[in-house]
Amino acid sequence: MAEHRSMQRAALLDAARSLLSEGGTEALTFPALAERTGLARSSVYEYFRSRAAVVEELCEVDFPVWAAEVEAAMAVAGGAGARIEAYVRKQLELVGDRRHRAVVAISASELDAGAREKIRAAHGGLVAMVVEALADLGHAEPRLAAMLLQGVVDAAVRRIELGAAEHPDAITEAAVAMALRGVRG
């Protein structure tokens, strides 16, 4: 019975990922989850009390996976510059991944404080990885630089997500150049 419940829960999370990556947070509704999984709407409520609870669990499951991939890419990179480049490239490469798209689609305003805190903590872990590389490069304010660098990554992610005029590779190269050389390009 417990195994069946965990399979249904996994199916609900997978349906939530699809809905989020297809239509953002507005698309994530309990009727849509019920329809995607073939469960009754009342059954969806047995697993999750709210949309925020679905999102919170998705973040708990998917963020660590995503962060681990970024961490692994940085771990095999050579010096500090290569680690920073890997940090940017890997995140942008993951934009095509449904788990990543789902997490990106979640707008912070729709989350309760607990979910927002979990996302912040996960992001904090990601940013902490690059703070060390920036410090190794001799950056005077590595924490501030890391936050700004993540801002560049987030902007590039949104640009790719929107299907901007530029090819995703061009967006990635521009983000890497900005990360490594600043606005001098």
Side-chain angles (χ1 to χ4, degrees):
M1 184 68 195
E3 189 179 325
H4 178 68
R5 280 190 68 80
S6 81
M7 279 173 61
Q8 286 193 327
R9 190 175 203 92
L12 283 165
L13 288 176
D14 206 47
R17 271 183 209 107
S18 294
L19 290 164
L20 281 165
S21 59
E22 289 160 22
T25 39
E26 306 80 59
L28 180 61
T29 64
F30 279 28
L33 283 172
E35 192 183 318
R36 286 277 166 110
T37 54
L39 292 170
R41 200 185 310 184
S42 57
S43 297
V44 178
Y45 282 99
E46 285 175 34
Y47 291 91
F48 299 104
R49 66 186 183 282
S50 65
R51 287 183 346 152
V54 177
V55 165
E56 195 170 331
E57 185 151 333
L58 258 187
C59 290
E60 270 180 63
V61 173
D62 291 356
F63 251 137
V65 173
W66 179 51
E69 289 198 38
V70 176
E71 195 168 10
M74 289 178 76
V76 296
R83 292 202 317 273
I84 292 164
E85 181 170 346
Y87 175 84
V88 174
R89 280 191 192 282
K90 192 62 183 181
Q91 287 189 70
L92 296 179
E93 184 188 307
L94 290 171
V95 174
D97 183 309
R98 215 158 47 94
R99 286 170 183 254
H100 179 244
R101 271 215 307 281
V103 171
V104 168
I106 295 160
S107 79
S109 60
E110 307 227 358
L111 301 178
D112 61 28
R116 271 202 300 273
E117 194 41 58
K118 288 194 171 91
I119 290 178
R120 253 199 303 279
H123 260 292
L126 212 51
V127 170
M129 293 183 227
V130 85
V131 170
E132 191 182 332
L134 288 159
D136 290 350
L137 275 184
H139 207 288
E141 296 261 9
R143 180 109 194 118
L144 173 61
M147 301 304 265
L148 296 174
L149 173 59
Q150 186 58 43
V152 168
V153 173
D154 293 342
V157 165
R158 277 192 300 278
R159 194 106 189 115
I160 292 170
E161 284 286 320
L162 289 169
E166 309 88 7
H167 191 277
D169 292 348
I171 296 169
T172 298
E173 293 314 316
V176 167
M178 192 161 272
L180 297 178
R181 293 188 285 286
V183 291
R184 281 187 224 105

